[in-house]
């Protein structure tokens, strides 16, 4: 393994597409051997991977090689044209779990990954945000949330970095909500996020970023930003349907609207106006159907407005 992995990383820089493709396929085969096979269906579960410390102990030379590749990325150039090795390495790191009770090795990698939150490549921002949130110890998530919310409001941010910070907040919220069935956000966290959301709305008029704010509202079940506040925040936003991310933003906004409706009102909604409306309707309907307290029966569907 210590000999094969470096060959894969070097092959990612080959001018031949066939060589790069073969190296990527080989790397994909090596990942389960490096961190173990999937044990549960959930890809994000910690049961499917080893801790950062275990990985470093088992594969010290490979760990050092990955760190070297991340360290060699220039922040500016890395954000505009990431090295060919960045996505494969990040995909592997996202399978690792935080160390318990300490997370020294994880923090070391986080410092190298964090600059990629401003990458121009969407998948790099998503994986970096997931990794930064995942590696944070549970008892420090509140502090990370505050730092992220305040960092969003920096005037020197690019739109890509703001989006990366919001994606990290989204992952932090998901972890916090999953940690307890009765979880609630402290008032300080709510105020910090509301300030960040208002700043984003005023300074970054972009469907992709607006969709991220709405996703955070949905993930927090309206605890950070109520569904009514989220709807009002973007009510006057006039995005063009040709802008990148417009369809996703419309769908997310519709989900927020539909969550405010009772089940009876939801089933009477016409879903023929647009594909985004239909997709949002099905998402919320599925949530209600899977809710053990929901009272949806097959007879309820007779009130739905169905059209060819």
């Amino acid at each position: 393994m210590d000999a094969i992995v470096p060959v894969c990383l070097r092959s990612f820089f080959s001018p031949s597409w066939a060589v790069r493709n073969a190296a990527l396929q080989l790397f994909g085969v090596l990942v389960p051997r490096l961190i173990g096979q999937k044990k549960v269906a959930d890809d994000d579960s910690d049961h499917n991977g080893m801790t950062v410390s275990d990985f470093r102990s088992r594969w010290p030379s490979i760990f050092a090689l990955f760190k070297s590749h991340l360290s060699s990325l220039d922040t500016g150039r890395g954000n505009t044209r990431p090295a060919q090795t960045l996505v494969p390495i990040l995909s592997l790191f996202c399978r690792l779990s935080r160390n318990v009770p300490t997370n020294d090795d994880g923090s070391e990698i986080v410092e190298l990954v964090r600059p990629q939150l401003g990458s121009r490549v969407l998948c790099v921002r998503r994986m970096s945000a997931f990794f930064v949130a995942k590696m944070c110890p549970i008892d420090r998530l509140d502090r990370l949330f505050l730092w992220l919310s305040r960092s969003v409001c920096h005037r020197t941010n690019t739109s890509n970095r703001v989006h990366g910070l919001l994606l990290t907040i989204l992952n932090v919220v998901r972890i916090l909500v999953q940690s307890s069935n009765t979880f609630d956000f402290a008032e300080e966290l709510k105020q910090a996020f509301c300030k960040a959301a208002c700043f984003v709305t005023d300074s970054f008029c972009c469907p992709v970023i607006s969709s991220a704010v709405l996703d955070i509202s949905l993930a927090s079940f309206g605890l950070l930003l109520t569904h009514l506040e989220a709807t009002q925040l973007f009510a006057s936003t006039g995005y063009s349907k040709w802008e990148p991310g417009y369809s996703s933003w419309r769908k997310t906004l519709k989900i927020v609207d539909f969550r405010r409706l009772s089940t009876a009102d939801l089933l009477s909604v016409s879903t023929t106006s647009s594909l985004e409306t239909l997709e949002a309707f099905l998402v919320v309907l599925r949530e209600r159907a899977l809710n053990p307290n929901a009272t949806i029966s097959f007879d309820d569907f007779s009130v739905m407005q169905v059209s060819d």
Side-chain angles (χ1 to χ4, degrees), residues 80-196:
T80 56
R81 187 178 180 183
Q84 289 87 329
T85 57
L86 181 57
V87 172
I89 291 176
L90 283 177
S91 65
L92 184 147
F93 278 156
C94 286
R95 290 278 302 275
L96 300 177
S97 57
R98 70 178 65 85
N99 302 323
V100 180
T102 61
N103 198 29
D104 295 336
D105 291 331
S107 300
E108 186 179 9
I109 299 299
V110 165
E111 292 303 315
L112 298 175
V113 172
R114 188 176 292 172
Q116 300 306 322
L117 292 175
S119 171
R120 290 182 61 182
V121 181
L122 179 58
C123 69
V124 172
R125 294 199 299 272
R126 284 177 173 168
M127 287 190 289
S128 300
F130 177 81
F131 181 77
V132 169
K134 185 178 183 179
M135 287 296 107
C136 183
I138 294 293
D139 59 347
R140 300 179 191 172
L141 283 174
D142 286 0
R143 280 182 285 175
L144 176 61
F145 183 96
L146 279 175
W147 178 84
L148 291 167
S149 298
R150 291 165 180 169
S151 297
V152 166
C153 300
H154 290 173
R155 294 288 179 181
T156 57
N157 284 334
T158 64
S159 58
N160 289 324
R161 177 162 176 79
V162 167
H163 186 234
L165 293 169
L166 291 174
L167 290 177
T168 311
I169 293 176
L170 175 61
N171 284 285
V172 169
V173 168
R174 287 171 175 169
I175 295 173
L176 288 172
V177 171
Q178 292 172 2
S179 65
S180 173
N181 293 329
T182 59
F183 180 83
D184 195 3
F185 293 88
E187 191 62 31
E188 184 182 17
L189 302 185
K190 295 179 181 178
Q191 292 178 359
F193 178 72
C194 286
K195 182 179 179 181

Side-chain angles (χ1 to χ4, degrees), residues 213-222 225 227 252 255-256 259:
V213 174
L214 292 175
D215 283 334
I216 295 170
S217 173
L218 292 173
S220 68
F221 296 97
L225 193 67
H227 299 330
T252 309
I255 292 175
V256 173
R259 275 193 177 181

Side-chain angles (χ1 to χ4, degrees), residues 32-305:
R33 295 180 178 272
L34 290 171
I35 61 178
Q37 298 286 345
K38 288 180 60 176
K39 301 176 180 64
V40 296
D42 184 6
D43 290 333
D44 299 337
S45 173
D46 289 343
H47 296 292
N48 286 331
M50 62 174 66
T51 65
V52 179
S53 292
D54 289 341
F55 183 84
R56 184 176 193 170
S57 299
R58 186 173 182 181
W59 310 107
S61 61
I62 296 177
F63 185 82
L65 180 64
F66 287 167
K67 276 187 57 181
S68 174
H69 276 265
L70 291 176
S71 302
S72 65
L73 287 175
D74 177 79
T75 303
R77 287 179 296 174
N79 285 340
T80 56
R81 187 178 180 183
Q84 289 87 329
T85 57
L86 181 57
V87 172
I89 291 176
L90 283 177
S91 65
L92 184 147
F93 278 156
C94 286
R95 290 278 302 275
L96 300 177
S97 57
R98 70 178 65 85
N99 302 323
V100 180
T102 61
N103 198 29
D104 295 336
D105 291 331
S107 300
E108 186 179 9
I109 299 299
V110 165
E111 292 303 315
L112 298 175
V113 172
R114 188 176 292 172
Q116 300 306 322
L117 292 175
S119 171
R120 290 182 61 182
V121 181
L122 179 58
C123 69
V124 172
R125 294 199 299 272
R126 284 177 173 168
M127 287 190 289
S128 300
F130 177 81
F131 181 77
V132 169
K134 185 178 183 179
M135 287 296 107
C136 183
I138 294 293
D139 59 347
R140 300 179 191 172
L141 283 174
D142 286 0
R143 280 182 285 175
L144 176 61
F145 183 96
L146 279 175
W147 178 84
L148 291 167
S149 298
R150 291 165 180 169
S151 297
V152 166
C153 300
H154 290 173
R155 294 288 179 181
T156 57
N157 284 334
T158 64
S159 58
N160 289 324
R161 177 162 176 79
V162 167
H163 186 234
L165 293 169
L166 291 174
L167 290 177
T168 311
I169 293 176
L170 175 61
N171 284 285
V172 169
V173 168
R174 287 171 175 169
I175 295 173
L176 288 172
V177 171
Q178 292 172 2
S179 65
S180 173
N181 293 329
T182 59
F183 180 83
D184 195 3
F185 293 88
E187 191 62 31
E188 184 182 17
L189 302 185
K190 295 179 181 178
Q191 292 178 359
F193 178 72
C194 286
K195 182 179 179 181
C198 293
F199 174 81
V200 165
T201 306
D202 294 336
S203 305
F204 296 93
C205 190
C206 168
V208 176
I209 292 179
S210 298
S211 182
V213 174
L214 292 175
D215 283 334
I216 295 170
S217 173
L218 292 173
S220 68
F221 296 97
L223 295 176
L224 285 173
L225 193 67
T226 67
H227 299 330
L228 178 60
E229 290 172 337
T231 302
Q232 293 175 341
L233 191 63
F234 297 103
S236 59
T237 306
Y239 294 135
S240 166
K241 65 179 181 179
W242 305 113
E243 291 185 66
Y246 175 83
S247 179
S248 176
W249 172 76
R250 285 290 302 170
K251 174 186 172 181
T252 309
L253 189 60
K254 281 294 182 181
I255 292 175
V256 173
D257 288 338
F258 289 162
R259 275 193 177 181
R260 296 167 51 202
L261 301 178
S262 65
T263 300
D265 292 338
L266 175 66
L267 293 174
S268 63
V269 169
S270 173
T271 60
T272 59
S273 58
S274 67
L275 179 61
E276 294 85 4
T277 301
L278 177 60
E279 290 177 341
F281 172 82
L282 294 175
V283 168
V284 178
L285 188 64
R286 181 177 182 273
E287 291 175 351
R288 301 283 175 89
L290 293 177
N291 184 354
N293 298 321
T295 56
I296 297 180
S297 66
F298 287 104
D299 293 336
D300 292 328
F301 288 87
S302 62
V303 301
M304 291 175 57
Q305 298 182 21

